[in-house]
mmCIF file of all heavy atoms in Angstrom:
data_model
loop_
_atom_site.group_PDB
_atom_site.id
_atom_site.type_symbol
_atom_site.label_atom_id
_atom_site.label_comp_id
_atom_site.label_asym_id
_atom_site.label_seq_id
_atom_site.Cartn_x
_atom_site.Cartn_y
_atom_site.Cartn_z
ATOM 1 N N ASN A 71 149.076 89.499 136.091
ATOM 2 C CA ASN A 71 148.517 89.118 134.778
ATOM 3 C C ASN A 71 148.018 87.671 134.751
ATOM 4 O O ASN A 71 147.042 87.356 134.070
ATOM 5 C CB ASN A 71 149.557 89.309 133.676
ATOM 6 C CG ASN A 71 149.812 90.771 133.402
ATOM 7 O OD1 ASN A 71 148.905 91.581 133.462
ATOM 8 N ND2 ASN A 71 151.055 91.122 133.118
ATOM 9 N N ALA A 72 148.715 86.794 135.469
ATOM 10 C CA ALA A 72 148.285 85.389 135.500
ATOM 11 C C ALA A 72 146.892 85.297 136.129
ATOM 12 O O ALA A 72 146.016 84.574 135.640
ATOM 13 C CB ALA A 72 149.281 84.540 136.285
ATOM 14 N N LYS A 73 146.701 86.079 137.213
ATOM 15 C CA LYS A 73 145.391 86.067 137.885
ATOM 16 C C LYS A 73 144.309 86.646 136.958
ATOM 17 O O LYS A 73 143.206 86.105 136.857
ATOM 18 C CB LYS A 73 145.469 86.852 139.198
ATOM 19 C CG LYS A 73 144.174 86.794 139.976
ATOM 20 C CD LYS A 73 144.286 87.408 141.351
ATOM 21 C CE LYS A 73 142.976 87.255 142.128
ATOM 22 N NZ LYS A 73 141.784 87.698 141.422
ATOM 23 N N SER A 74 144.645 87.725 136.269
ATOM 24 C CA SER A 74 143.668 88.319 135.332
ATOM 25 C C SER A 74 143.267 87.306 134.266
ATOM 26 O O SER A 74 142.090 87.150 133.941
ATOM 27 C CB SER A 74 144.267 89.543 134.631
ATOM 28 O OG SER A 74 144.576 90.520 135.567
ATOM 29 N N MET A 75 144.271 86.617 133.731
ATOM 30 C CA MET A 75 143.994 85.639 132.661
ATOM 31 C C MET A 75 143.191 84.464 133.211
ATOM 32 O O MET A 75 142.281 83.952 132.544
ATOM 33 C CB MET A 75 145.333 85.161 132.074
ATOM 34 C CG MET A 75 145.217 84.380 130.777
ATOM 35 S SD MET A 75 144.675 85.386 129.384
ATOM 36 C CE MET A 75 143.612 84.211 128.539
ATOM 37 N N HIS A 76 143.519 84.070 134.444
ATOM 38 C CA HIS A 76 142.792 82.954 135.065
ATOM 39 C C HIS A 76 141.345 83.360 135.357
ATOM 40 O O HIS A 76 140.401 82.576 135.115
ATOM 41 C CB HIS A 76 143.508 82.521 136.349
ATOM 42 C CG HIS A 76 142.953 81.269 136.935
ATOM 43 N ND1 HIS A 76 142.324 81.227 138.146
ATOM 44 C CD2 HIS A 76 142.895 79.991 136.451
ATOM 45 C CE1 HIS A 76 141.918 79.987 138.402
ATOM 46 N NE2 HIS A 76 142.257 79.229 137.388
ATOM 47 N N ASP A 77 141.147 84.579 135.857
ATOM 48 C CA ASP A 77 139.778 85.068 136.105
ATOM 49 C C ASP A 77 138.976 85.072 134.805
ATOM 50 O O ASP A 77 137.796 84.700 134.771
ATOM 51 C CB ASP A 77 139.807 86.489 136.689
ATOM 52 C CG ASP A 77 140.346 86.512 138.127
ATOM 53 O OD1 ASP A 77 140.456 85.432 138.743
ATOM 54 O OD2 ASP A 77 140.661 87.623 138.618
ATOM 55 N N TYR A 78 139.629 85.484 133.738
ATOM 56 C CA TYR A 78 138.977 85.519 132.425
ATOM 57 C C TYR A 78 138.624 84.103 131.962
ATOM 58 O O TYR A 78 137.524 83.849 131.456
ATOM 59 C CB TYR A 78 139.934 86.193 131.431
ATOM 60 C CG TYR A 78 139.413 86.312 130.019
ATOM 61 C CD1 TYR A 78 138.303 87.111 129.731
ATOM 62 C CD2 TYR A 78 140.044 85.646 128.965
ATOM 63 C CE1 TYR A 78 137.834 87.223 128.427
ATOM 64 C CE2 TYR A 78 139.578 85.758 127.665
ATOM 65 C CZ TYR A 78 138.478 86.543 127.410
ATOM 66 O OH TYR A 78 138.012 86.648 126.119
ATOM 67 N N PHE A 79 139.545 83.171 132.187
ATOM 68 C CA PHE A 79 139.283 81.758 131.856
ATOM 69 C C PHE A 79 138.050 81.264 132.620
ATOM 70 O O PHE A 79 137.181 80.588 132.052
ATOM 71 C CB PHE A 79 140.519 80.912 132.200
ATOM 72 C CG PHE A 79 140.225 79.483 132.542
ATOM 73 C CD1 PHE A 79 139.882 78.570 131.546
ATOM 74 C CD2 PHE A 79 140.265 79.039 133.862
ATOM 75 C CE1 PHE A 79 139.591 77.241 131.861
ATOM 76 C CE2 PHE A 79 139.976 77.721 134.181
ATOM 77 C CZ PHE A 79 139.633 76.820 133.187
ATOM 78 N N LEU A 80 137.976 81.635 133.912
ATOM 79 C CA LEU A 80 136.854 81.160 134.739
ATOM 80 C C LEU A 80 135.514 81.686 134.240
ATOM 81 O O LEU A 80 134.477 81.046 134.413
ATOM 82 C CB LEU A 80 137.066 81.572 136.203
ATOM 83 C CG LEU A 80 138.219 80.853 136.938
ATOM 84 C CD1 LEU A 80 138.409 81.426 138.333
ATOM 85 C CD2 LEU A 80 137.962 79.347 137.018
ATOM 86 N N LYS A 81 135.537 82.845 133.604
ATOM 87 C CA LYS A 81 134.283 83.399 133.044
ATOM 88 C C LYS A 81 133.794 82.600 131.861
ATOM 89 O O LYS A 81 132.645 82.699 131.437
ATOM 90 C CB LYS A 81 134.522 84.850 132.583
ATOM 91 C CG LYS A 81 134.520 85.862 133.691
ATOM 92 C CD LYS A 81 134.386 87.232 133.012
ATOM 93 C CE LYS A 81 135.119 88.294 133.768
ATOM 94 N NZ LYS A 81 135.411 89.467 132.942
ATOM 95 N N GLY A 82 134.713 81.807 131.257
ATOM 96 C CA GLY A 82 134.327 80.969 130.109
ATOM 97 C C GLY A 82 134.064 81.761 128.842
ATOM 98 O O GLY A 82 133.318 81.323 127.969
ATOM 99 N N GLU A 83 134.686 82.951 128.748
ATOM 100 C CA GLU A 83 134.390 83.813 127.589
ATOM 101 C C GLU A 83 135.529 83.883 126.570
ATOM 102 O O GLU A 83 135.477 84.671 125.627
ATOM 103 C CB GLU A 83 134.071 85.229 128.074
ATOM 104 C CG GLU A 83 132.761 85.302 128.829
ATOM 105 C CD GLU A 83 132.495 86.679 129.415
ATOM 106 O OE1 GLU A 83 133.327 87.592 129.202
ATOM 107 O OE2 GLU A 83 131.470 86.820 130.090
ATOM 108 N N SER A 84 136.564 83.082 126.755
ATOM 109 C CA SER A 84 137.714 83.175 125.854
ATOM 110 C C SER A 84 137.310 82.844 124.412
ATOM 111 O O SER A 84 136.616 81.853 124.163
ATOM 112 C CB SER A 84 138.806 82.203 126.312
ATOM 113 O OG SER A 84 139.739 82.031 125.272
ATOM 114 N N VAL A 85 137.757 83.660 123.500
ATOM 115 C CA VAL A 85 137.484 83.425 122.079
ATOM 116 C C VAL A 85 138.110 82.104 121.636
ATOM 117 O O VAL A 85 137.522 81.325 120.892
ATOM 118 C CB VAL A 85 138.056 84.591 121.231
ATOM 119 C CG1 VAL A 85 137.899 84.317 119.744
ATOM 120 C CG2 VAL A 85 137.386 85.895 121.607
ATOM 121 N N LEU A 86 139.330 81.848 122.137
ATOM 122 C CA LEU A 86 140.039 80.625 121.744
ATOM 123 C C LEU A 86 139.438 79.388 122.395
ATOM 124 O O LEU A 86 139.523 78.287 121.861
ATOM 125 C CB LEU A 86 141.521 80.726 122.139
ATOM 126 C CG LEU A 86 142.399 81.630 121.297
ATOM 127 C CD1 LEU A 86 143.756 81.806 121.958
ATOM 128 C CD2 LEU A 86 142.583 81.056 119.895
ATOM 129 N N GLY A 87 138.877 79.561 123.580
ATOM 130 C CA GLY A 87 138.321 78.415 124.304
ATOM 131 C C GLY A 87 139.049 78.194 125.614
ATOM 132 O O GLY A 87 140.068 78.835 125.909
ATOM 133 N N ASP A 88 138.529 77.258 126.412
ATOM 134 C CA ASP A 88 139.031 77.064 127.770
ATOM 135 C C ASP A 88 140.467 76.545 127.814
ATOM 136 O O ASP A 88 141.268 76.986 128.635
ATOM 137 C CB ASP A 88 138.130 76.083 128.532
ATOM 138 C CG ASP A 88 136.836 76.759 128.961
ATOM 139 O OD1 ASP A 88 136.737 77.998 128.808
ATOM 140 O OD2 ASP A 88 135.932 76.052 129.430
ATOM 141 N N THR A 89 140.800 75.580 126.965
ATOM 142 C CA THR A 89 142.142 74.978 127.039
ATOM 143 C C THR A 89 143.238 76.021 126.787
ATOM 144 O O THR A 89 144.149 76.171 127.607
ATOM 145 C CB THR A 89 142.274 73.785 126.070
ATOM 146 O OG1 THR A 89 141.309 72.801 126.453
ATOM 147 C CG2 THR A 89 143.660 73.170 126.112
ATOM 148 N N PRO A 90 143.172 76.777 125.695
ATOM 149 C CA PRO A 90 144.217 77.801 125.487
ATOM 150 C C PRO A 90 144.211 78.883 126.556
ATOM 151 O O PRO A 90 145.277 79.341 126.968
ATOM 152 C CB PRO A 90 143.863 78.399 124.116
ATOM 153 C CG PRO A 90 142.973 77.413 123.463
ATOM 154 C CD PRO A 90 142.250 76.693 124.553
ATOM 155 N N ALA A 91 143.035 79.277 127.012
ATOM 156 C CA ALA A 91 142.966 80.362 128.011
ATOM 157 C C ALA A 91 143.661 79.940 129.300
ATOM 158 O O ALA A 91 144.451 80.699 129.879
ATOM 159 C CB ALA A 91 141.506 80.732 128.284
ATOM 160 N N LEU A 92 143.392 78.727 129.749
ATOM 161 C CA LEU A 92 144.040 78.250 130.974
ATOM 162 C C LEU A 92 145.539 78.032 130.739
ATOM 163 O O LEU A 92 146.362 78.326 131.607
ATOM 164 C CB LEU A 92 143.373 76.957 131.460
ATOM 165 C CG LEU A 92 143.943 76.364 132.757
ATOM 166 C CD1 LEU A 92 143.890 77.380 133.909
ATOM 167 C CD2 LEU A 92 143.180 75.093 133.160
ATOM 168 N N ALA A 93 145.883 77.541 129.556
ATOM 169 C CA ALA A 93 147.308 77.330 129.240
ATOM 170 C C ALA A 93 148.070 78.652 129.319
ATOM 171 O O ALA A 93 149.169 78.724 129.887
ATOM 172 C CB ALA A 93 147.454 76.708 127.849
ATOM 173 N N MET A 94 147.487 79.714 128.771
ATOM 174 C CA MET A 94 148.157 81.024 128.819
ATOM 175 C C MET A 94 148.272 81.526 130.257
ATOM 176 O O MET A 94 149.303 82.081 130.645
ATOM 177 C CB MET A 94 147.410 82.040 127.952
ATOM 178 C CG MET A 94 147.623 81.805 126.461
ATOM 179 S SD MET A 94 146.980 83.154 125.446
ATOM 180 C CE MET A 94 145.257 82.691 125.357
ATOM 181 N N ALA A 95 147.222 81.316 131.032
ATOM 182 C CA ALA A 95 147.263 81.748 132.441
ATOM 183 C C ALA A 95 148.394 81.016 133.169
ATOM 184 O O ALA A 95 149.138 81.624 133.960
ATOM 185 C CB ALA A 95 145.920 81.460 133.114
#
Side-chain angles (χ1 to χ4, degrees):
N71 289 324
K73 184 173 183 309
S74 298
M75 192 68 218
H76 188 245
D77 290 347
Y78 180 65
F79 152 74
L80 291 175
K81 281 195 213 160
E83 291 175 2
S84 165
V85 175
L86 286 170
D88 284 351
T89 299
L92 181 57
M94 286 190 277

